[in-house]
């Protein structure tokens, strides 16, 4: 018998009424009837837990729904889907575990918690025949998790490369477009609700590191913990780096990469990293600016695909969270709460350290005037071939930027230490990978 439209109501409890929690309340209030007309499930928010009821909020949530005790949400027998939008790796873990152990479906946007404790949380969900959904944890409003889990289910993933931190992308874009300084643009990103409560999570690359670890685990069905993944943030990027890259035809982006390398004895070898990266202007990822995220997914059957959208902010993130709530509610209404395991971890993977990878690099140092040639000689002396060089005088110093031919991370690290030890070196030398998308989307 066909269920008539909107005949099943599912009660939802939300913990957290801040940027994302407020957006979720607003989206469900606005579009619950539309969702019901499409799915036959009417979402009803029963309770919302916050830290302080009298806190001013961008989105008004009726007082009758609010509580300061998250257990009121989790223990409410009517609440079938619990949504955790508090953040962090402390109390949020207890909230989720308590809900899962009661057999409730849980939706979270908390990538820090998932990357740190995901293996345990997904296991507890399985043991309790329920599900933990996490679409909003990666790339904000873009349905990247659902695409990898469902749409691309018949693919072996060869390359997933993404701009997956809205705050960093906003900062790099504004530094290029407006010539503004790093700190100034970070404040703007915070005011717009893009940044994490502790913005070091964004600018030091931790947030993208969490997200790329989640994507790698999902794509290769094996737990990839952040400790196995190379991480570098954008604090070392200066305006002149962005300008030099632009003149050479590249955009400098914080890029997360998951690359399939080979398979040995049934174990996939992969490389996973997040780092500032040069991307040729002709590549679609180079056109992802501002708070937008973009993820290029290359599968062995589908070939190249590209997903694009807002990577942070109230409404984009709420859209992903409500998509998950609807999925959970639908599964519950049909009596199959674990229809499609949100994170299937039944394989083994070996993550190659960055030292084993070869790339082309951008190297930058700041030397005393007249010392530019010494810097170049030092690089060549280590057997690294320079493809192109730029010298920009900046007062008493010279900004020296080089593009290299493919070389190893080990050689690059040695050269950076040598450049730093030069007596006239005036700023920490840096090296950024040039991503050539070999074997994937190279046009
Ligand atoms: P906010 O800081 O805006 O909101 C956090 C909410 O949690 C607040 O409403 C706060 O209450 C509430 N809270 C804190 N502690 C408790 C507690 N012990 N019990 C009940 N409620 C509590 O964070 P965001 O909305 O920005 O982020 C939430 C999650 O979403 C994080 O995991 C974040 O990483 C993730 N995320 C955020 C995105 C964004 O663009 N902001 C995008 C994608 C994911 P009160 O309001 O009273 O202070
Ligand atoms: N702070 C995160 C970002 C929020 O800027 O991408 C979205 O995950």
């Amino acid at each position: 018998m066909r269920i008539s439209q909107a005949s099943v109501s599912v009660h939802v409890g939300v913990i957290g009424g801040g940027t994302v929690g407020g957006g979720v309340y607003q989206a469900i209030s606005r579009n619950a009837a539309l969702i019901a007309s499409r799915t036959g499930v009417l979402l009803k928010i029963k309770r919302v837990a916050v830290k302080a009821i009298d806190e001013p909020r961008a989105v008004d949530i009726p007082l009758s729904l609010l509580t300061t005790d998250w257990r009121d949400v989790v223990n409410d027998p009517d609440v079938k889907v619990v949504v955790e939008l508090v953040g962090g790796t402390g109390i949020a873990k207890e909230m989720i575990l308590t809900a899962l152990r009661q057999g409730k479906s849980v939706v979270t946007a908390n990538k820090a918690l998932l990357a740190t404790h995901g293996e345990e949380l997904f296991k507890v969900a399985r043991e309790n025949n329920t599900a933990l959904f996490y679409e909003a944890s990666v790339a904000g409003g873009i349905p990247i998790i659902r695409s990898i889990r469902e749409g691309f289910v018949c693919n072996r993933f060869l390359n997933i490369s993404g701009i997956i931190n809205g705050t960093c992308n906003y900062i790099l874009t504004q530094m290029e477009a407006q010539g503004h300084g790093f700190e100034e643009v970070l404040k703007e990103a915070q005011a717009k609700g893009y940044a994490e409560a502790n913005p070091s999570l964004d600018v030091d690359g931790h947030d993208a590191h969490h997200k790329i670890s989640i994507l790698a685990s999902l794509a290769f069905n094996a737990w990839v913990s952040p400790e196995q993944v190379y991480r570098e943030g954008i604090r070392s990027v200066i305006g002149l780096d962005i300008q030099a890259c632009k003149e050479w035809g590249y955009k400098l982006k914080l890029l997360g990469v998951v690359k399939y390398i080979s398979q040995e004895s049934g174990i996939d070898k992969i490389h996973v990293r997040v780092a500032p990266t040069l991307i040729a202007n002709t590549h679609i990822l180079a056109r992802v600016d501002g708070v937008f995220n973009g993820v290029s997914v290359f599968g062995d059957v589908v070939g190249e695909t590209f997903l694009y959208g807002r990577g942070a902010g109230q409404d984009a993130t709420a859209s992903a969270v409500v998509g998950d709530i609807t999925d959970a509610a639908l599964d519950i209404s049909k009596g199959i709460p674990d229809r499609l395991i949100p994170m299937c971890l039944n394989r083994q993977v070996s993550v190659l350290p960055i030292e084993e990878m070869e790339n082309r690099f951008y190297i930058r140092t700041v030397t005393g005037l007249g010392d530019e040639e010494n810097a170049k000689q030092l690089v060549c002396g280590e057997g690294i071939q320079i493809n192109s060089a730029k010298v920009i005088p900046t007062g008493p110093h010279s900004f020296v930027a080089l593009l290299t031919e493919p070389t190893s991370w080990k050689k690059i690290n040695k050269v950076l230490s040598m450049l730093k030890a030069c007596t006239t070196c005036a700023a920490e030398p840096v090296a950024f990978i040039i991503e050539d998308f070999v074997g994937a989307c190279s046009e």
Side-chain angles (χ1 to χ4, degrees), residues 290-306:
V291 73
F292 281 84
N293 282 193
V295 188
S296 151
V297 179
F298 196 95
D300 64 343
V301 180
V302 70
E304 185 180 3
T305 62
F306 185 73

Side-chain angles (χ1 to χ4, degrees), residues 161-338:
S161 296
I163 292 167
I164 48 179
N165 183 272
T167 303
C168 287
N169 207 41
Y170 181 81
I171 292 174
L172 293 174
T173 304
Q174 291 296 95
M175 280 173 76
E176 179 183 347
Q178 314 290 343
H180 289 168
F182 184 93
E183 294 297 337
E184 187 185 347
V185 190
L186 171 59
K187 283 201 183 98
E188 285 174 34
Q190 286 176 295
K192 286 173 186 280
Y194 303 155
E196 296 302 307
N198 170 8
S200 157
L201 285 172
D202 296 295
V203 297
D204 293 316
H206 298 283
D207 179 73
H209 187 227
H210 295 146
K211 290 166 175 169
I212 205 70
S213 306
I214 293 169
L215 285 187
S217 303
L218 175 67
F220 286 88
N221 306 117
W223 190 249
V224 175
S225 70
E227 290 79 51
Q228 296 169 279
V229 175
Y230 179 80
R231 170 189 60 82
E232 202 182 321
I234 61 164
R235 271 190 211 273
S236 58
V237 175
I238 58 175
L240 280 174
D241 291 322
I242 297 175
Q243 189 189 316
C245 291
K246 190 176 179 181
E247 286 169 18
W248 267 315
Y250 293 98
K251 276 279 186 82
L252 191 49
K253 297 286 188 189
L254 185 70
L255 191 72
V257 173
V258 185
K259 243 180 218 180
Y260 171 78
I261 307 290
S262 62
Q263 197 182 67
E264 265 174 43
S265 315
I267 297 177
D268 289 326
K269 279 192 181 181
I270 60 172
H271 166 62
V272 192
R273 67 160 195 268
V274 62
T277 303
L278 275 71
I279 302 171
N281 276 336
T282 47
H283 194 280
I284 194 163
L285 276 165
R287 280 168 247 166
V288 177
D289 285 327
V291 73
F292 281 84
N293 282 193
V295 188
S296 151
V297 179
F298 196 95
D300 64 343
V301 180
V302 70
E304 185 180 3
T305 62
F306 185 73
L307 292 97
Y308 172 83
R310 282 180 193 277
Q314 187 160 69
D315 293 340
T317 313
S319 167
V321 172
V322 178
D324 272 353
I325 298 173
T326 307
D327 238 4
L330 256 174
D331 290 354
I332 290 166
S333 74
K334 306 230 182 266
I336 38 168
D338 56 355

